[in-house]
Amino acid sequence: MKKIFYTMFFIFLIFCGGVYYLYTSLWGSGVNNTSKYELFIATGSSYNDVISHLQGDNILKSPYLFDLLADQMNYKKDKVKSGKYTIAPKMSIRHLISNLRSGNQSAIDITFNNIRTIEELAGRLSHQIEPDSMSLLNTLIADLNVTSKGFTRESVGVMYIPNTYQVYWNITPQQLVNRMQKEYKIFWSHNNRKSKAKAKNITPIQASILGSIVQKETNKKPEQSIVAGVYLNRIRIGMPLQADPTVVFGIGDFTIKRVLNKHLEYKSPYNTYLNKGLPPGPICIAESTAIDAVLDAEDSGYLYFCAKPGYRGGHLFAKDLTAHNKNARIYHRWLSKEGIMK
């Protein structure tokens, strides 16, 4: 009898251990990761792709139990939902499958700044979300997202205001454009921006284009409103903007550090020495601070400015050509002394 008792007791312990293992795996911790694990499921993935990914990174304590429960919860039969999913430490298999099955994915932050062109924007975004750069670019410049929204191929970049936005990793290119258009409208509906632009006799698009020029002229925020005022003064009296950054943008050689006479003769719609008024589009994706600098531009009476000698940036401003030429000679002598010839 003792032998039977011990045998039955041993079987009972094994049974309890099995029940405990199943319970902890299904409702308790069913994963091995000790920190947050990000699972990216590409659009069009199959169930086998998902479990292979989890097994490959040794996330599951029991792939067999995951597979068994996935079958019972109909996850294997349903269409796999793409996205980025966060697997927390000690997450149960049931909780994990429930998230995957319902598409309960985590949002991500996308950020873009210091970008010149719409092509560069598409490339930058493609490193943060699922769509590739080509599909993004084709959507960004599609007629549906350009002319129908009041832009041109050259000016559409103004719709993208550099910031940090929360989206889903598997957002489609069109969904992204729609989101950015919404953010663009929100931006212009705040802080009386539209009224300020109207008061300066410019449109929001023109304010953004001018903001891009101001941004490339100076990275010193306190100076941006002064530089913007200079350009607005020139526009008001019909004087060419004569902005060196627009010339460089038109040439497309961004290694140029010193704009020479030969550069000023380069024919381009972005050469504001040869063409009066604003260029057809922004020369970079202007930041909100640069756009606001245009809208809050100082009416100082300045018509000229040139860079200060030295590597700290900053500019010397002048109201007449005589004073400006004097400032320019000082700066050019410094350039030559430093050996900056191009």
Side-chain angles (χ1 to χ4, degrees):
M1 291 293 294
K2 285 184 179 181
K3 199 170 186 180
I4 295 173
F5 173 78
Y6 285 127
T7 300
M8 294 298 293
F9 183 71
F10 181 70
I11 293 173
F12 176 74
L13 289 178
I14 293 175
F15 174 77
C16 289
V19 170
Y20 177 77
Y21 175 75
L22 284 172
Y23 176 83
T24 56
S25 297
L26 298 179
W27 285 274
S29 175
V31 295
N32 292 315
N33 52 298
T34 56
S35 58
K36 285 184 179 181
Y37 172 83
E38 309 293 356
L39 172 65
F40 292 88
I41 302 178
T43 300
S45 293
S46 66
Y47 169 77
N48 287 333
D49 294 328
V50 175
I51 195 168
S52 293
H53 197 154
L54 291 170
Q55 283 184 274
D57 287 348
N58 193 32
I59 297 300
L60 301 174
K61 286 185 176 179
S62 174
Y64 171 75
L65 286 178
F66 180 92
D67 188 66
L68 185 67
L69 191 58
D71 191 34
Q72 292 180 353
M73 295 177 69
N74 291 323
Y75 180 55
K76 292 175 73 172
K77 296 178 181 179
D78 292 345
K79 182 179 179 180
V80 170
K81 292 180 172 65
S82 62
K84 172 202 165 187
Y85 297 86
T86 301
I87 301 177
K90 299 182 180 181
M91 179 178 280
S92 70
I93 290 179
R94 182 175 290 277
H95 188 184
L96 171 56
I97 294 175
S98 179
N99 280 353
L100 297 176
R101 184 170 180 266
S102 63
N104 185 24
Q105 60 174 303
S106 304
I108 65 167
D109 289 334
I110 59 170
T111 302
F112 55 91
N113 52 31
N114 194 27
I115 293 173
R116 294 184 186 274
T117 66
I118 201 78
E119 290 82 5
E120 190 176 339
L121 174 64
R124 183 76 61 84
L125 290 171
S126 70
H127 292 296
Q128 302 177 66
I129 56 178
E130 183 183 20
D132 60 59
S133 59
M134 188 55 67
S135 62
L136 280 169
L137 178 60
N138 289 338
T139 305
L140 297 182
I141 63 175
D143 286 343
L144 171 67
N145 299 316
V146 180
T147 54
S148 65
K149 288 180 169 54
F151 303 106
T152 64
R153 173 65 178 80
E154 293 79 15
S155 68
V156 70
V158 306
M159 191 174 76
Y160 301 90
I161 309 294
N163 208 334
T164 298
Y165 302 99
Q166 201 168 71
V167 300
Y168 288 119
W169 174 75
N170 61 337
I171 188 172
T172 68
Q174 189 58 53
Q175 287 173 337
L176 179 66
V177 171
N178 294 342
R179 170 66 184 281
M180 291 298 100
Q181 184 189 32
K182 180 181 177 182
E183 296 293 343
Y184 177 76
K185 289 180 178 179
I186 291 173
F187 174 82
W188 280 101
S189 67
H190 286 175
N191 301 325
N192 299 314
R193 287 188 174 101
K194 286 185 179 179
S195 299
K196 289 179 179 180
K198 187 175 181 180
K200 288 186 165 45
N201 200 30
I202 56 176
T203 66
I205 291 176
Q206 291 172 327
S208 294
I209 292 174
L210 184 52
S212 73
I213 299 172
V214 170
Q215 183 172 315
K216 284 301 177 182
E217 281 286 10
T218 178
N219 58 8
K220 290 186 173 295
K221 298 296 191 291
E223 274 197 355
Q224 288 186 339
S225 61
I226 305 174
V227 171
V230 171
Y231 285 133
L232 287 170
N233 287 339
R234 291 180 181 180
I235 291 173
R236 189 177 65 251
I237 65 174
M239 176 182 172
L241 290 184
Q242 297 180 335
D244 289 358
T246 67
V247 175
V248 173
F249 184 85
I251 295 172
D253 181 1
F254 303 117
T255 64
I256 296 173
K257 295 181 180 179
R258 183 174 184 176
V259 176
L260 306 174
N261 287 332
K262 66 177 182 179
H263 299 134
L264 303 182
E265 296 170 358
Y266 186 86
K267 291 183 179 180
S268 160
Y270 289 88
N271 187 331
T272 53
Y273 282 82
L274 300 179
N275 308 292
K276 286 187 178 181
L278 291 165
I283 61 171
C284 70
I285 305 297
E287 295 178 5
S288 59
T289 51
I291 299 171
D292 284 335
V294 172
L295 300 177
D296 297 322
E298 286 190 28
D299 187 11
S300 60
Y302 291 130
L303 280 175
Y304 303 93
F305 66 93
C306 73
K308 286 181 180 178
Y311 292 100
R312 294 185 178 181
H315 292 81
L316 299 169
F317 296 88
K319 294 182 178 181
D320 59 69
L321 188 58
T322 301
H324 170 68
N325 287 338
K326 180 180 178 181
N327 291 337
R329 283 194 295 271
I330 294 172
Y331 179 63
H332 289 149
R333 281 199 294 268
W334 176 81
L335 286 176
S336 298
K337 181 181 177 181
E338 294 297 308
I340 303 173
M341 306 305 294
K342 61 173 288 186

